[in-house]
Amino acid sequence: MAEAEVEYSSRIAAGEWRLTLLSFNLNRQTAPKETEKMRVFFTDEETERSDMIVIGLQEVSHTELLGAEPWSARFKKYLCAHGFIKLSLSWASQLWLGSNEMLVFAKSHVMPSILKMESRFVRNMFWGIAGHKGAIGAKITFKDGSYLLLITCHLAPNFEALNRRIKEFHWTQDGMKFLESQESGTGYTFWLGDMNFRAENLAADEFDAILKTSTPEQIHDLVENHDQLRIAHNSGKAFSEYEEATITFKPTYRVLIGSNGYDLKRVPSWCDRILYRVIDEAEALNVRALSYTSIPAVVFSDHVPVKGSFAISAPKNVSEASSWAVKFDVSTDSAWLQYQPIMLRFQIDPSYWKVNGSNKDWVAIYKADMKDTGNTKTWKYVMSCWDEQIGHETWTCGLLTGIKHGKYRFGYYSNYLDCLIGLSDPFEVIPVAKEVNEFD
């Protein structure tokens, strides 16, 4: 765990990416209707300079299943307006478990470096049947062999459930089995969520009085001496291989909704946390904490959200490793007209098809300014395409229909790798009237 340092540098060096993570227990509150209100969660610097943003949500309201505006849609609308793309896995792998959800966003330059995405889920309620308390894991493997494992969790509540939380930590770590298949064993793990560890050996009113006059350095000392997670870490019982940036913010639970005061029926505690670890025998990877703080301006839950920004080493040889496995041909002598069949042509890297190709791969048309890898305008399985000899080259061809005028891209999604492995340059579909006028 980090020493007592309260100053962070936000400087990003060459060869680094900025990763920003947010954990928020929503207490079943619904999302604000105004997208602009979402800016309270991220500073302008975080949206402009972050390469990836990861959000872990707990206690998502079940009213979202009945038509309420999803938090995911609000975060997506806000972050995509700042140049992010939501990385969606296939329908069967969506990062949702009970009332927990994970959202992963990346800037466009990150996507070509991704080789594979995987997900895992651990349920901790009713002997592993229910997932209201549990964990979601998403592993992103990059083309240089390194990986980024993201885990968000909601562990057992109540002060006296410490041993249960420790057990759930080990269950979750054991449940993230894709680590065993990582050949290089080189990468990062970031673990965020409502971990529910409590402050101990202080009465609620006594602790509240101390917090009202505490400096950041004094808060750090309180964490070191009274926080269950820190004590479990130092004793080797849980998270012993993980690090955490210095905590200088006040406890995040249990706050009175609409204020920054505490409900003193509970001892104020740092329930919401972000921890990380690096596995790299060559010591080529590095993590630097750029910030670690709470967001006390958010007062509509009984939890205060926590976020952290970190500098991590970008995948090596990005310029070489970032080439797509599928190449599209978007050059054409004839214009593509709206609502008329669009012929797409693409070539698949044989080394990809030999190992990971599937007839359940699919090709699609996305908006040129795509906001979600799972949100297509139209798509079809590769198995419905055919090969054609064009000159000295063989191209796979297909027809896609129903596209109105606008700017678009072709994309190729891998069934086994669960990510895009090809994305074309933008092309334009024009209105029929415009085409007619040009030839008048």
Side-chain angles (χ1 to χ4, degrees):
M1 297 274 179
E3 297 297 327
E5 299 175 0
V6 297
E7 294 294 332
Y8 294 102
S9 170
S10 61
R11 187 182 301 276
I12 293 292
E16 290 183 327
W17 282 349
R18 180 170 181 155
L19 173 65
T20 297
L21 303 103
L22 170 75
S23 179
F24 188 22
N25 184 316
L26 300 171
N27 189 34
R28 296 176 294 279
Q29 302 299 312
T30 56
K33 295 181 179 180
E34 300 82 6
T35 302
E36 183 63 20
K37 290 186 177 180
M38 303 300 289
R39 69 178 300 141
V40 70
F41 292 101
F42 301 103
T43 65
D44 291 340
E45 181 184 31
E46 288 164 347
T47 54
E48 291 172 8
R49 298 187 181 182
S50 294
D51 299 280
M52 298 182 68
I53 289 180
V54 179
I55 301 170
L57 301 175
Q58 305 87 42
E59 294 193 22
V60 178
S61 174
H62 293 300
T63 60
E64 291 192 4
L65 301 176
L66 303 176
E69 180 74 14
W71 277 93
S72 58
R74 281 293 170 212
F75 276 117
K76 176 181 168 181
K77 187 172 183 179
Y78 180 73
L79 291 175
C80 290
H82 291 80
F84 287 90
I85 299 169
K86 183 174 180 287
L87 302 184
S88 292
L89 281 75
S90 63
W91 178 85
S93 305
Q94 284 300 300
L95 302 177
W96 181 286
L97 177 67
S99 58
N100 304 288
E101 187 172 11
M102 181 191 291
L103 308 172
V104 182
F105 296 88
K107 295 285 180 66
S108 59
H109 65 269
V110 172
M111 293 173 56
S113 298
I114 297 174
L115 173 66
K116 183 179 183 179
M117 292 184 65
E118 303 170 83
S119 62
R120 293 290 186 274
F121 305 89
V122 176
R123 297 169 176 83
N124 288 332
M125 289 186 69
F126 302 116
W127 305 279
I129 297 174
H132 176 67
K133 296 292 190 294
I136 303 168
K139 181 185 175 187
I140 301 172
T141 302
F142 297 104
K143 291 179 180 175
D144 70 345
S146 64
Y147 66 85
L148 174 62
L149 174 57
L150 305 163
I151 303 172
T152 185
C153 71
H154 192 185
L155 302 183
N158 300 322
F159 174 85
E160 61 275 7
L162 172 60
N163 290 334
R164 172 75 181 190
R165 285 188 283 276
I166 292 173
K167 287 181 179 179
E168 290 180 353
F169 159 75
H170 291 286
W171 293 341
T172 300
Q173 186 152 263
D174 291 343
M176 300 298 160
K177 293 297 185 182
F178 35 38
L179 275 178
E180 297 176 1
S181 63
Q182 181 62 36
E183 294 180 2
S184 67
T186 300
Y188 303 95
T189 300
F190 283 85
W191 195 319
L192 65 155
D194 177 5
M195 303 188 185
N196 257 322
F197 287 93
R198 306 304 171 97
E200 61 183 28
N201 299 324
L202 282 172
D205 54 352
E206 176 189 7
F207 198 10
D208 185 49
I210 294 172
L211 291 169
K212 287 178 179 178
T213 60
S214 293
T215 65
E217 291 80 4
Q218 290 170 331
I219 289 176
H220 169 79
D221 291 339
L222 288 169
V223 173
E224 290 296 319
N225 295 316
H226 298 282
D227 174 60
Q228 288 181 338
L229 193 156
R230 189 61 54 88
I231 295 169
H233 169 273
N234 292 341
S235 65
K237 292 181 178 179
F239 292 100
S240 59
E241 297 178 335
Y242 287 78
E243 297 183 58
E244 185 177 25
T246 304
I247 293 179
T248 58
F249 51 86
K250 292 183 178 181
T252 58
Y253 179 81
R254 183 181 189 184
V255 297
L256 296 168
I257 294 176
S259 76
N260 291 128
Y262 291 102
D263 177 359
L264 298 182
K265 294 178 182 177
R266 304 282 197 280
V267 177
S269 299
W270 291 272
C271 290
D272 309 276
R273 311 287 277 270
I274 301 171
L275 296 96
Y276 59 91
R277 67 181 294 194
V278 181
I279 298 178
D280 179 22
E281 294 181 358
E283 298 183 353
L285 301 184
N286 184 44
V287 176
R288 290 189 298 110
L290 306 176
S291 65
Y292 189 33
T293 186
S294 64
I295 313 176
V298 178
V299 295
F300 52 81
S301 172
D302 58 357
H303 285 254
V304 178
V306 165
K307 66 177 175 178
S309 282
F310 304 86
I312 63 174
S313 303
K316 298 176 183 178
N317 304 317
V318 171
S319 60
E320 177 180 344
S322 62
S323 59
W324 293 109
V326 175
K327 178 177 69 174
F328 288 94
D329 178 16
V330 293
S331 62
T332 177
D333 295 330
S334 59
W336 279 315
L337 304 180
Q338 66 175 344
Y339 303 125
Q340 296 188 10
I342 293 176
M343 172 72 76
L344 74 157
R345 294 196 294 265
F346 56 95
Q347 291 178 323
I348 305 172
D349 187 326
S351 62
Y352 160 76
W353 189 259
K354 182 177 180 180
V355 178
N356 293 304
S358 168
N359 285 327
K360 291 184 179 180
D361 290 359
W362 44 269
V363 287
I365 293 179
Y366 293 90
K367 293 287 288 184
D369 59 343
M370 65 182 300
K371 296 176 173 58
D372 188 331
T373 58
N375 186 10
T376 68
K377 305 306 292 184
T378 186
W379 65 279
K380 70 186 315 177
Y381 285 118
V382 171
M383 64 185 299
S384 65
C385 298
W386 65 92
D387 289 343
E388 284 190 8
Q389 192 73 22
I390 301 175
H392 298 290
E393 295 183 311
T394 300
W395 291 81
T396 303
C397 303
L399 289 174
L400 293 169
T401 60
I403 301 300
K404 66 180 183 180
H405 69 275
K407 292 185 177 181
Y408 300 93
R409 298 176 188 266
F410 295 124
Y412 186 110
Y413 201 93
S414 169
N415 177 58
Y416 290 143
L417 301 183
D418 218 345
C419 66
L420 277 173
I421 63 166
L423 194 64
S424 76
D425 292 332
F427 63 89
E428 185 175 8
V429 175
I430 63 176
V432 175
K434 180 178 179 180
E435 174 73 1
V436 172
N437 290 337
E438 289 179 353
F439 288 93
D440 284 346

